[in-house]
Amino acid sequence: MNPQVLNTFSYGMYAIGVMGEHGPSGCIINSVTRVGHGSVPRVAISINSDSYTCERIRKTGIFTISVLSQETSGAAIGALGLVSGRHTDKFAHLRHRVLSEGVPVLKENTCCWFLCETESFTDAEDQTIVIAKVTGGSDKSVGTPLTFKYYVENMGGFAPDDSPIHIERAHAEIHKDSDPFICSVCGYVYDDPDFYFEELPDDWQCPVCKMSKKAFLRNS
């Protein structure tokens, strides 16, 4: 069996908010589902076990889920999803609010949000499955929820290497005399073999987070 066929499953895009040691933190995940239909709503999420967000969920027992929409910017996704929160203030330049419980809710054109309290953890190799009850959240949802398929096909996005739905991208051979350039905001690497980075027009933008050429650094 080809494991990539599993990517035909439908995946959403969600921002997880946690109480960091020095302020709000979080990450982007793609696996959230409702569990059961009892009087107390519950959800299950899958999150990288080694991530700072997972560490904080285990420590504090609470987290938020912000459902991203097709209008959520690539910059917000890159800021939360492609760098570690251990030594980075991920929410520094993002619109958000911190609930009285101390956890952040993303406000970058999201559809809705939920406050969750953990009930159980299950280890699944490099992922942790968290079951949590929903204790608060939005009264309604607005906009169209963002799917991973839309993120890839319409926003030029991709999943990092430690994501369970990471897709190996075919990389053409890079110019022998040219270094790739990396976006300092989201981590996207420009390595087009047909056009040097310096040859791109001045108004060119990062295909993931829409930052200008000035945000790119030579990755020598």
Side-chain angles (χ1 to χ4, degrees):
M1 186 198 78
N2 180 2
Q4 294 295 333
V5 177
L6 292 172
N7 291 330
T8 57
F9 291 161
S10 178
Y11 297 95
M13 297 281 287
Y14 312 92
I16 300 299
V18 295
M19 185 192 309
E21 295 169 283
H22 305 290
S25 191
C27 68
I28 299 294
I29 67 171
N30 47 57
S31 299
V32 175
T33 185
R34 182 172 181 178
V35 179
H37 296 279
S39 58
V40 178
R42 288 175 170 81
V43 294
I45 70 170
S46 175
I47 188 168
N48 185 275
S49 300
D50 293 331
S51 69
Y52 182 64
T53 301
C54 185
E55 176 184 313
R56 297 307 299 170
I57 290 176
R58 286 185 177 275
K59 181 72 174 181
T60 66
I62 59 174
F63 62 93
T64 60
I65 302 172
S66 296
V67 180
L68 306 187
S69 80
Q70 291 182 1
E71 301 302 317
T72 302
S73 70
I77 298 172
L80 288 175
L82 298 176
V83 294
S84 172
R86 294 186 189 279
H87 307 291
T88 304
D89 184 356
K90 290 189 172 186
F91 282 86
H93 303 292
L94 299 178
R95 290 184 293 121
H96 69 282
R97 70 185 179 101
V98 178
L99 305 180
S100 59
E101 289 81 1
V103 285
V105 171
L106 186 66
K107 297 181 66 178
E108 295 279 351
N109 296 323
T110 53
C111 294
C112 54
W113 64 273
F114 306 99
L115 175 64
C116 305
E117 294 183 6
T118 61
E119 291 188 324
S120 67
F121 298 87
T122 301
D123 293 327
E125 294 188 351
D126 60 343
Q127 295 286 306
T128 296
I129 311 301
V130 183
I131 304 296
K133 61 181 179 180
V134 179
T135 59
S138 301
D139 291 326
K140 63 180 181 179
S141 179
V142 296
T144 302
L146 177 63
T147 64
F148 183 71
K149 178 180 176 66
Y150 185 93
Y151 175 60
V152 170
E153 296 182 355
N154 296 84
M155 300 175 65
F158 62 94
D161 294 344
D162 58 5
S163 169
I165 60 171
H166 171 70
I167 300 173
E168 293 295 337
R169 295 179 293 167
H171 289 281
E173 184 178 359
I174 300 173
H175 284 298
K176 298 297 184 181
D177 59 347
S178 176
D179 294 323
F181 280 74
I182 185 170
C183 179
S184 61
V185 174
C186 72
Y188 171 79
V189 177
Y190 179 86
D191 57 5
D192 192 313
D194 298 319
F195 294 95
Y196 292 107
F197 183 79
E198 293 85 354
E199 296 175 332
L200 294 171
D202 292 338
D203 60 354
W204 183 86
Q205 295 178 325
C206 174
V208 176
C209 71
K210 309 306 179 185
M211 295 298 292
S212 69
K213 288 179 63 177
K214 294 181 180 179
F216 280 73
L217 302 174
R218 187 184 297 276
N219 188 30
S220 57

